[in-house]
Structures are given as structure tokens and as C-alpha cells.
Amino acid sequence: MLRRNKFTPGLLVALAVLSLGGAGFYTPVQAQQASYSSGYAQDRAEIEDLMARYLFAMDWGDLDAYAATFTEDGRLDYANGSAQGRQAIKETVQAFKDRISKIYVDADGNPAKLRHVVAQTVIRVEGNQAWSTALWYEMANNGPDGAPSIGTYGTYEDELEKVDGQWLFKRRLINNEFLEGRGTGDKNPVRTLDEAALSEKHGEISQ
């Protein structure tokens, strides 16, 4: 015996809209998926390694290694301002760590151990340039009796450049969802990433 599907008229309309990609669910940019070259896996692996080295260097206070993840004229945009160039970035991170050590303390009043984690990450590669958007959060042992706690979170929005065969950050924007005026915003950040990549790609073609 055949069962009759119980779709309401409203549901049928909604399904039709979704199947057509209407109602603002997809823009032309989003519908045009990234093209993955034969070398994408290698580039992505190298960029993910760069991101990991960046976080290990920051959390363990290896400021030389941290600054070396940026291009010579690389730029870091963060909650309290921006820094450009490796030396300025190094000094900025040192000041941040000095300041944060007084805010995040463990149960004994010692500077807490902060550990940053990167979650889902989208990476778009176009030649020797790349863009990435990643969700990050931060853990520390500043909970009751030294228990871990998740205190802050946000997104990284990156522009990367391949210099002498090595991927480096050309610009890193740190968004903090918990700070007024520093959130990522309501727009899907992956759309912003795709728009930047396509704009650059079309610009190269037109030259």
C-alpha cells in the first residue's frame, strides 16, 4: 500500500525555494565553489602547519617563531590595535602576554596556562596567494581548583602569501565574538573569503 507524503502547501513552497537556491540562501559567489588544483592538498597541509606553529609559538612564548609566521611586512590586527612588520608584531605579542598574565590567573594566583585551539577551517588557494577563515577558542586552567575553562572565542581571517616556496601570513585579523565591536558580524565569513579570492583572481585575468 502506498503511503501519501504529508507535505503542507507551505512546506512544498519552502522545498521548491531551497531546490532553486532562492530566498537568499546562496549567492552567485557561494554557488561558484572553489576549484581545487592538484597541489591544493599540499598547500592546505602547509598552511595548516603554519597555523599550528603560530599557536604553539604564541602559547609557549616563542616570540621569534611567532613573528616568523608573518611576511616581512605582515600585519596583525587584534582587539587593541594593529602591528605591521615582524619586530612590531613581536613587541605587540610580548605586551599582550605581559598584560594577559595579570588577568588570567590560576587558583594559586600564578599566571594561568593559556592554550589556543583552531577548529573548522576554510582555506582558499589561488596561485601564490591564499585566504583562510577559522574558528578559534581559548582554554586556560583558571577554573575552580585549577579546572580548565573556555574563556574566549572568535575567528581568524587571514590573507597568506607564498614567499620563496613558504606560506606566511600577510595579514591576520583576529575577531573576538565576546568583545563589543570586534565580532565577526552576521555575514557568513566564508562568503567574504570567496569574494576576496574571486576578486583577486578576476583582477589577475584582466591584467
Side-chain angles (χ1 to χ4, degrees), residues 1-21:
M1 181 176 180
L2 294 176
R3 289 186 178 181
R4 179 173 296 177
N5 293 326
K6 296 181 179 179
F7 291 126
T8 65
L11 180 58
L12 288 172
V13 171
L15 289 171
V17 170
L18 284 172
S19 67
L20 292 173

Side-chain angles (χ1 to χ4, degrees), residues 55-67:
L55 291 183
F56 277 112
M58 177 169 63
D59 288 342
W60 268 264
D62 188 349
L63 302 186
D64 288 327
Y66 180 94

Side-chain angles (χ1 to χ4, degrees), residues 24-30 124 133 187-198:
F25 287 100
Y26 296 97
T27 66
V29 168
Q30 198 175 33
R124 179 87 178 244
T133 295
K187 180 180 179 180
N188 178 358
V190 176
R191 295 193 183 194
T192 302
L193 176 152
D194 283 336
E195 288 166 2
L198 288 172

Side-chain angles (χ1 to χ4, degrees), residues 102-151:
K102 300 174 183 177
I103 299 174
Y104 285 85
V105 295
D106 62 20
D108 297 323
N110 300 313
K113 293 182 178 179
L114 272 64
R115 299 292 182 258
H116 290 76
V117 179
V118 171
Q120 60 264 34
T121 304
V122 173
I123 300 174
R124 179 87 178 244
V125 179
E126 297 290 349
N128 288 329
Q129 291 182 287
W131 295 259
S132 69
T133 295
L135 176 68
W136 66 267
Y137 59 93
E138 179 184 72
M139 301 182 295
N141 63 329
N142 63 336
D145 298 322
S149 65
I150 297 178

Side-chain angles (χ1 to χ4, degrees), residues 11 20-21 34 44 48 52 61 68 71 78 84 88 117 123 148 159 189 191:
L11 180 58
L20 292 173
R44 184 180 178 96
E48 288 184 349
T71 61
Y78 62 106
Q84 188 156 11
V117 179
I123 300 174
E159 297 176 25
R191 295 193 183 194

